[in-house]
Amino acid sequence: MLTQVDALLHARWIVPVDDKQSILEHHSIAIHQGKILDILPTDQIHQCYSSKHDQNLENQLLMPGLINAHGHAAMSLFRGLADDLELMTWLQEHIWPAESKWVSPDFVRDGTRLAIAEMLRSGTTCFSDMYFYPDIAAETVTELNMRAQICCPILDFPTPWAKDADEGIHKALKVNAAQRHNPLVKIAFGPHAPYTVSDEPLRKLASLQEELQIPIQMHLHETAFEVTEAEKQGLRPIARLEQLGILGPHFQAVHVTQANTEDLLTLARYDVKVVHCPESNLKLASGFCPVDKMQKAGITVALGTDGAASNNDLDLFGEMQTAAQLAKAVAGDAAAVPAFEAIRMATLNGAIALGIDDITGSLVKGKAADIIAIDMSRLETLPVYNPISQLVYTRMADKVKHVWVNGKILVRDGILTQIDTEKLKQQARQWGEKIRAGDSHD
């Protein structure tokens, strides 16, 4: 007797992202109760399963949904506000004043919805967010059936979210308690950077992390200026964090463009996860993350877009291409970060970095059905000698056809199923007009 399942997806190719670097041809996926029940050759699947929802994805490729391991979702509403500036000028003279003036629960809700819509349409099914009002971001993620790690921001000075680091930590613990049983949302501490968080809050976070097993994500070694200023106080930032006892396998270091041999040895020794944001780093001239050296040292490297205010898009396929190409130039080796490794950085490595690789990041029996389907029949993708090459070296975001999170279809034929696109556009325009008018009066 055939097993009844919720859906059967029949594809020309499946890239499950496994250690064999498999490319399965003419295979199908059985989905039931939000999980992957089985993956079999298409000519065998109907011998085992039946479903009212058979989907024939001719000339399409199925792969895990992409995982954007670092960003600031609501900052999509600041897209293009201040360009072509170095990091500290960009932050201190433009972004921080704008945030002080405009960030509110409504701003975060609308900006997060805009970011989620952009990410879903380009194949991202899970993202890590570090921004103010994380409680509002978590509500928005849940409402739209996305998957996310929400990093509660912690800084020494007043922000729209908290007056200081202690209040930020207190509020983060409340958000964590509220979201503890949410299957789509995981809470993390988000101390902004070594230069904005002092020693005592970091010691407190180290203790809380050990007690509660809450991940920590932090911008680290982002610019040469950050490192040289820290050295004047006696320690490079990574060495300082080691001394404070905060480094470990649940620590996610974002950017790391300035890393010497000793830094890399320290990161590897503590099994710190690195989140590489190549396009934001290039735009802000922050430096180059030594991805090839990190991978050879055994460091897990994931991919992020950073916020749309410094990128200016949330296209993780584009990030894959940039990461692979940039790594070759930095290493002086065309074999550095081959195409499959770039895909792994944007999927399974992202899940490992966020501590959710038992749930998502690859297409494996028992994992959540977080799946994207990509149209490989477009003029720009032909001929297809090796689909993995196309996924990385050909821009693919606009070729995403369908997106499922937990087996629920959120994009069908390129159209968002749960978000009113026209309403979202109108809200974004209204914010733009308000912010533009407000800036012109200053």
Side-chain angles (χ1 to χ4, degrees), residues 121-142:
R121 278 164 46 102
S122 56
T124 292
T125 56
C126 175
F127 68 103
S128 181
D129 185 40
M130 183 193 287
Y131 210 58
F132 309 113
Y133 299 103
D135 50 339
I136 301 297
E139 287 174 13
T140 308
V141 167
T142 306

Side-chain angles (χ1 to χ4, degrees), residues 4 12 17 30 38 80 91 96 142 148 193 199 278 291 296 323 356 361 404 415 437:
Q4 183 75 25
R12 174 66 178 82
V17 186
D38 213 343
L91 274 176
W96 285 345
T142 306
D199 286 0
V291 176
K296 287 174 179 173
I356 54 173
W404 297 263
I415 306 298

Side-chain angles (χ1 to χ4, degrees), residues 154 156 165-166 169 197-208 240 244 246:
I154 295 163
D156 284 345
D166 280 344
I169 293 170
V197 187
S198 52
D199 286 0
E200 196 50 44
L202 291 175
R203 287 194 189 95
K204 189 171 184 178
L205 289 177
S207 176
L208 286 168
R240 174 183 160 226
L244 293 170
I246 200 168

Side-chain angles (χ1 to χ4, degrees), residues 34 45 48 90 98 116 122 125 132 258 323 364 394-395 403 410 442:
I45 198 96
C48 304
W90 179 77
I116 286 174
S122 56
T125 56
F132 309 113
Q258 315 292 322
V364 175
T394 305
R395 290 282 170 144
V403 175
L410 303 186
D442 291 341

Side-chain angles (χ1 to χ4, degrees), residues 15-22 340 344 348 362:
V15 175
V17 186
D18 58 19
D19 290 339
K20 298 176 184 176
Q21 302 188 19
S22 302
F340 179 80
R344 186 182 168 97
L348 186 55
S362 58

Side-chain angles (χ1 to χ4, degrees), residues 201-219:
L202 291 175
R203 287 194 189 95
K204 189 171 184 178
L205 289 177
S207 176
L208 286 168
Q209 194 288 314
E210 188 173 347
E211 177 188 347
L212 301 173
Q213 297 296 297
I214 300 175
I216 297 170
Q217 184 172 106
M218 188 181 202
H219 303 95

